[in-house]
Amino acid sequence: MHGTQQTERPLPGFVGGTLDRVDHVRTNPALLAQAFADPAARRLVLDGLEPVEAEGHLVLEPIGAGARIADHVLLGVDPQARPIFARLVADLGPNLAPTPRSRAIAGLIPADEVALYGAARSLVHWHARHPFCSVCGGSTRPVKAGWSRRCEACGAEHFPRTDPVVIMLAEHEGRVLLGRQHSWPEGRYSALAGFVEPGETIEEAVAREIYEEAGVRVHSVRYVMSQPWPFPSSLMIACVAQAQHDALRIDATEIEHAFWCDADGVRAAMAGDSGAPFVAPPQMAVAWHLLDRWLARL
Ligand SMILES: [Zn+2]
């Protein structure tokens, strides 16, 4: 669509992974054992779920003798032909909320490594939280190189979650709708967002969320880009929609405030001007890219 232009623009965090996910290896025990025993194989070092970085890169370690393949997920094979694994941890403790470090990592290491970390974080988190079968309550164990779990009692197979979230700008006569949540840093505004519900299309979710949160009816929803968001397992689906009107009816339980901002205001915020009408979201967030592309008319 706009391929050339998009590749020249910066990427949101967790986008730009370069691993070959080698699905054929996951389901082939001989190939999987070969990958695990490969002297080039590496294991991503995590501190719980938090990233570990040194000299501008994630820390990868050789897989030591005595390691069990059943305790690992095969994330994929990197461009240097190294199989990359992460260790599954049964007990991560009750609090798995991200620390600021897990988001700041986007500015410290290359984009493909941020994407690698995001995938590992989501998977390790999912395994830690799904030791039991949601059908019968039996114990589950990882299968397919950590890309699913099977119940040892009833045989049900469970797959890692990916939860779709729509995040969107409503546009009306050259202005876009921005909102802020109560918990955000002072002055911060961003695109509205919400989970897609069962039975909904992306377009319907965009329209419903904008109406629920701001009372605005929209049409002509256009997909712009997406971003994995591993806190714990969202897929952000960024869209632009056309508003039928600019009258707002704010749902105060969802958002604190919302307003229509023109291109000059968005440009000032993106530039970090002190007189800007709002504080822009960070560049690692897909909302930053949604605003950037709206300004560039992409
Ligand atoms: Zn079961």
Side-chain angles (χ1 to χ4, degrees):
M1 181 167 68
H2 308 292
T4 309
Q5 288 161 305
Q6 288 196 4
T7 53
E8 290 167 359
R9 306 187 84 79
L11 295 171
F14 310 109
V15 175
T18 54
L19 289 196
D20 179 346
R21 292 176 172 240
V22 293
D23 183 67
H24 66 289
V25 176
R26 298 174 187 170
T27 51
N28 183 319
L31 288 179
L32 180 59
Q34 192 180 322
F36 195 66
D38 188 333
R42 291 292 181 272
R43 177 166 59 205
L44 176 66
V45 176
L46 294 173
D47 173 13
L49 289 175
E50 299 298 294
V52 178
E53 167 268 339
E55 296 172 357
H57 293 281
L58 291 174
V59 176
L60 299 168
E61 63 184 4
I63 298 170
R68 294 189 339 133
I69 197 168
D71 298 332
H72 291 76
V73 55
L74 173 60
L75 297 168
V77 175
D78 77 2
Q80 291 83 49
R82 301 181 301 178
I84 306 295
F85 291 84
R87 179 158 44 201
L88 300 178
V89 183
D91 184 12
L92 285 166
N95 183 13
L96 301 184
T99 70
R101 183 155 58 106
S102 57
R103 299 181 190 202
I105 196 73
L108 300 177
I109 61 176
D112 61 326
E113 296 186 26
V114 182
L116 169 67
Y117 165 66
R121 181 183 178 104
S122 281
L123 274 168
V124 173
H125 179 278
W126 177 76
H127 280 281
R129 285 291 162 89
H130 291 80
F132 300 110
C133 177
S134 56
V135 178
C136 77
S139 293
T140 62
R141 64 178 178 86
V143 291
K144 293 181 181 166
W147 289 87
S148 75
R149 296 182 73 90
R150 180 168 291 128
C151 175
E152 295 179 308
C154 78
E157 192 170 4
H158 303 278
F159 295 94
R161 293 178 63 144
T162 302
D163 303 325
V165 175
V166 286
I167 179 164
M168 57 272 162
L169 296 173
E171 184 177 23
H172 187 266
E173 296 180 356
R175 297 178 301 164
V176 287
L177 181 60
L178 301 172
R180 63 170 274 110
Q181 296 179 8
H182 301 270
S183 60
W184 286 358
E186 189 179 348
R188 165 74 54 78
Y189 280 78
S190 187
L192 302 184
F195 284 101
V196 180
E197 296 184 345
E200 261 185 335
T201 64
I202 291 169
E203 294 88 336
E204 289 164 352
V206 166
R208 175 183 54 75
E209 283 289 343
I210 296 176
Y211 185 70
E212 282 178 4
E213 294 189 4
V216 174
R217 294 291 189 188
V218 301
H219 60 89
S220 305
V221 175
R222 180 172 66 86
Y223 168 81
V224 177
M225 66 192 306
S226 64
Q227 175 198 32
W229 186 252
F231 307 109
S233 53
S234 294
L235 176 65
M236 310 301 290
I237 303 166
C239 298
V240 174
Q242 300 304 310
Q244 291 176 10
H245 56 86
D246 63 359
L248 299 177
R249 179 182 45 74
I250 305 298
D251 176 356
T253 61
E254 296 259 359
I255 53 178
E256 182 181 282
H257 183 239
F259 74 107
W260 295 94
C261 189
D262 64 16
D264 286 342
V266 172
R267 204 171 285 116
M270 300 288 278
D273 291 353
S274 58
F278 69 102
V279 176
Q283 196 179 26
M284 75 166 302
V286 76
W288 186 96
H289 300 265
L290 199 48
L291 290 167
D292 178 54
R293 288 174 190 209
W294 179 73
L295 282 179
R297 299 281 173 242
L298 291 177

